[in-house]
Amino acid sequence: MTRGILLAGTESPLSAAIAAEAAKRVESFAAAFIPNRFSHPGGTGPSALKGHIPLAWNPGSPISARALALAAENRMAHIDEAVLICVPPGLYRPPEELSSTDIETLVNDYIKGWFFLSRELIGRFKARQAGVLTLVLSEPSVRGKDEPVDVAGGAVAAAFRALAQSLLAASAGKPYQVLGFSGSGEPASFAAFIFKILEEGGKRNGGKWHKFGKIGLFGR
């Protein structure tokens, strides 16, 4: 029986690299990658990959989260592994210059959606008595003191990390597993590291943060 893998997040080089790793391992996988609405360069999706099943997702809607999980189950028969990929946006301008649309987009696409989708996925894993939820955080880059302040990246990263920590703690003794990953560096290497840990399996990797860095692998 093939693994049912669902990926979700914004389009980014890291999302594309994780999709490429999934494509190496299964004949088909589902991915809901939404456009980066802050229009930063470098956003990419997995559309050219063999076996990619594109699915729609509106992160700000609980109904859309349920529809996404149902669509993934219908196309793949079951979801064995779900990978939620948070790549915080960079908004390098003063807070007073943020529009109401900027703030709504930030909350819907980078904060609210993870709560709705993780609730749906964990509910299904609990019902099946099996499943792996993986939460991946791309750490915002460290900038010099004279460079513009990113008013969004740190807030998004902190919110995602706090949610992940809560889900990791809540998974103790449950029939499903939750794993957390964080780091920065070359996307393909980070993606390969994630799947290496996932495929090691075993309870020792569940319920933990796994840290990836430019110099090597550490913090496991």
Side-chain angles (χ1 to χ4, degrees):
M1 182 182 296
T2 187
R3 294 154 64 186
I5 299 178
L6 170 65
L7 312 178
T10 52
E11 292 181 346
S12 70
L14 178 58
S15 297
I18 290 173
E21 287 294 325
K24 295 177 184 177
R25 291 163 168 79
V26 293
E27 292 184 0
S28 62
F29 66 95
F33 288 158
I34 62 171
N36 183 333
R37 294 197 278 170
F38 292 108
S39 301
H40 295 157
T44 53
S47 56
L49 292 173
K50 182 179 179 181
H52 167 224
I53 302 170
L55 299 177
W57 178 39
N58 173 8
S61 166
I63 295 174
S64 183
R66 181 166 299 176
L68 171 58
L70 182 60
E73 287 178 333
N74 288 340
R75 296 294 298 274
M76 300 188 297
H78 45 78
I79 304 171
D80 297 298
E81 302 170 21
V83 184
L84 310 187
I85 308 154
C86 179
V87 180
L91 293 179
Y92 300 101
R93 53 183 182 266
E96 67 272 16
E97 292 184 10
L98 292 178
S99 69
S100 297
T101 300
D102 287 336
I103 295 170
E104 287 196 9
T105 298
L106 190 70
V107 172
N108 287 336
D109 291 4
Y110 293 92
I111 297 178
K112 187 190 294 185
W114 304 126
F115 285 85
F116 292 145
L117 189 52
S118 60
R119 179 183 64 177
E120 288 296 328
L121 293 167
I122 287 175
R124 283 166 166 73
F125 291 158
K126 188 174 181 180
R128 285 190 64 215
Q129 295 287 292
V132 179
L133 177 63
T134 300
L135 301 118
V136 179
L137 172 62
S138 177
E139 298 281 6
S141 61
V142 177
R143 298 175 67 85
K145 63 179 182 179
D146 295 327
E147 295 183 277
V149 174
D150 177 6
V151 299
V156 167
F160 187 83
R161 184 183 291 277
L163 172 62
Q165 292 282 24
S166 297
L167 296 179
L168 288 166
S171 68
K174 298 296 194 299
Y176 56 87
Q177 289 190 32
V178 178
L179 288 80
F181 291 86
S182 62
S184 60
E186 204 276 316
S189 298
F190 192 0
F193 172 66
I194 292 167
F195 276 92
K196 177 181 180 294
I197 299 297
L198 289 174
E199 289 171 349
E200 285 179 356
K203 294 293 185 181
R204 70 184 183 90
N205 287 330
K208 297 178 182 177
W209 274 109
H210 302 270
K211 181 79 174 178
F212 173 83
K214 293 180 181 179
I215 300 175
L217 313 182
F218 54 91
R220 287 181 53 189

